[in-house]
Amino acid sequence: MNSISGLPVRLCLAGATIAALALSSGAGLAQTLAAIKARGALACGVSQGVYGFSIETPAGWAGFDVDLCRALAAAVFNDPAKVHYVPLHAADRFAALQSGTIDVLSRNSTWTMSREVELKLIFPAVTYYDGQGFLVRRARNATSALELDNVKVCVQGGTTTELNLDDFSRVNNLKLERISFVTVAEAVKAYDGGRCDVFTADVSQLHAERLALAVPDDHLILPDVISKEPLGPAVRQGDEQWANIVKWTVFALVNAEELGVSSKSIDQEVRSDKPEIKRLTGAEGNFGEQAGLTRDWVVRIIRKVGNYGEIFERNVGLESRLGIPRGLNHLWMDGGIVYAPPIR
Ligand SMILES: N[C@@H](CCC(=O)N[C@@H](CS)C(=O)NCC(=O)O)C(=O)O
């Protein structure tokens, strides 16, 4: 009788101990935003250098992924420059997040199930719908990836790219010899130097790396796209406040584009009488404050960094040196799949 009635008590105690441990280790606490504010800068993990996405220039870090770090810093500090950039290669990126070295990873990372359930991360939103492709020498006269048999393929290790390549070779019965490198610079150099016949990566990265080759025009991206690579920022599990800030910053960028609110129009839009724009700018409602920011958090972001379309076009789109067509990354109302829930 005693042992039966004692059982729930022991279970209760065990539950309390686990909860106390979780709190003392920081999990479950809304502490990331407070730490960022105390530090005076956001620690943002980026790539070591993918042109158009995150690249260090004489004027500082720039690119599509960097602009998300800048948008977060604009939301928190009203200053997009308050970012400490931590360049990471593929194999190190998730450990840097788990250890607390960075607050957010914004580095062409694919949202996958294992990265959430096994690595205990969260991908709050997709910023770029991508897929894996192949770069080859024009002289090869290949028109499809299915013609690539008995070839050596250079790839960066610690990526979904490696895994997809193995699947693709198995499914299509192709002999693709995978040569993996720790850094992208090594992989690209090996391909350019002739050690590999093919370089494989997400298509967006192929556009960027092609520019780094000795003669870019001697190489082409094959039309095949062999995987789904929804790229987006990642955060640690256990801090919903911070995950929400990252998620709603992405959604605010998309909603702003949808509503025609841009860095050029924001000073007029703050006086708009359209209900959706009033909620976006904070003229109505206090959603930003509820998230731990300010009422005008979206105004801060759009004024300093621009909306989703502006970020896409200036860094990687047709206005940029990369010239990537928007394709799937058009807004849903323009034939793409970029869609954000409403701010209300
Ligand atoms: N999206 C894939 C691939 C990401 C990736 O790391 N791609 C390489 C290929 S270009 C890259 O961006 N490297 C840049 C770096 O290591 O700095 C993933 O999340 O695993």
Side-chain angles (χ1 to χ4, degrees):
M1 193 67 180
N2 265 354
S3 63
I4 292 171
S5 62
L7 189 60
V9 176
R10 274 207 302 277
L11 284 178
C12 267
L13 283 176
T17 312
I18 289 166
L21 273 176
L23 285 176
S24 65
S25 70
L29 284 180
Q31 58 175 13
T32 311
L33 179 62
I36 292 167
K37 285 185 176 162
R39 200 190 300 129
L42 168 81
C44 202
V46 292
S47 75
Q48 295 193 311
V50 176
Y51 186 83
F53 286 85
S54 49
I55 189 101
E56 196 169 17
T57 72
W61 282 87
F64 181 88
D65 288 338
V66 164
D67 275 347
L68 180 63
C69 312
R70 296 177 67 242
L72 289 165
V76 175
F77 297 113
N78 201 16
D79 182 354
K82 291 200 167 157
V83 183
H84 168 57
Y85 291 98
V86 182
L88 298 161
H89 53 66
D92 291 346
R93 60 189 147 161
F94 301 119
L97 197 50
Q98 287 163 330
S99 67
T101 305
I102 54 173
D103 304 305
V104 60
L105 179 72
S106 184
R107 185 207 169 281
N108 50 19
S109 294
T110 306
W111 179 355
T112 69
M113 184 164 175
S114 63
R115 288 173 179 176
E116 291 201 324
V117 300
E118 189 184 332
L119 303 184
K120 307 270 181 275
L121 306 176
I122 300 179
F123 286 76
V126 175
T127 50
Y128 190 110
Y129 291 94
D130 209 344
Q132 182 172 334
F134 298 94
L135 186 76
V136 294
R137 287 177 185 77
R138 265 184 214 283
R140 190 174 187 91
N141 284 324
T143 54
S144 155
L146 294 170
E147 295 164 24
L148 303 175
D149 199 9
N150 286 308
V151 290
K152 294 190 172 67
V153 186
C154 282
V155 61
Q156 189 171 11
T159 56
T160 49
T161 323
E162 263 188 323
L163 310 173
N164 298 327
L165 180 66
D166 292 349
D167 285 355
F168 182 72
S169 117
R170 225 178 13 243
V171 168
N172 295 296
N173 222 352
L174 298 172
K175 210 164 148 273
L176 305 177
E177 188 188 329
R178 168 161 65 77
I179 309 185
S180 296
F181 296 84
V182 173
T183 69
V184 67
E186 287 165 339
V188 171
K189 198 166 154 225
Y191 166 73
D192 212 11
R195 200 165 148 207
C196 297
D197 309 291
V198 183
F199 173 64
T200 186
D202 297 344
V203 173
S204 65
Q205 292 139 51
L206 293 181
H207 280 277
E209 298 309 335
R210 200 173 80 95
L211 294 179
L213 300 175
V215 188
D217 279 346
D218 286 356
H219 306 263
L220 71 100
I221 299 171
L222 292 175
D224 316 66
V225 176
I226 65 160
S227 69
K228 289 189 290 186
E229 307 294 326
L231 310 179
V235 296
R236 283 179 291 281
Q237 288 182 12
D239 185 343
E240 286 86 352
Q241 182 197 46
W242 180 238
N244 276 333
I245 288 174
V246 174
K247 175 193 293 192
W248 285 95
T249 294
V250 174
F251 290 161
L253 293 169
V254 172
N255 279 322
E257 181 182 12
E258 184 176 326
L259 295 167
V261 176
S262 70
S263 59
K264 288 166 204 80
S265 70
I266 189 69
D267 290 329
Q268 290 91 63
E269 302 292 2
V270 290
R271 290 188 294 276
S272 168
D273 51 18
K274 291 195 186 120
E276 280 170 305
I277 296 184
K278 287 180 96 143
R279 287 192 290 272
L280 184 81
T281 60
E284 201 172 283
N286 65 341
F287 308 105
E289 283 165 354
Q290 286 167 10
L293 301 167
T294 57
R295 237 168 217 263
D296 68 343
W297 65 294
V298 181
V299 177
R300 293 171 162 203
I301 295 171
I302 302 302
R303 190 175 274 140
K304 304 266 165 61
V305 187
N307 67 30
Y308 180 82
E310 292 180 276
I311 293 175
F312 190 99
E313 291 306 336
R314 99 173 145 245
N315 290 302
V316 301
L318 298 177
E319 284 172 20
S320 77
R321 210 175 135 218
L322 284 183
I324 306 177
R326 259 182 90 168
L328 284 181
N329 296 299
H330 270 116
L331 294 183
W332 60 285
M333 57 212 246
D334 299 330
I337 57 173
V338 172
Y339 182 102
I343 294 181
R344 77 171 314 140

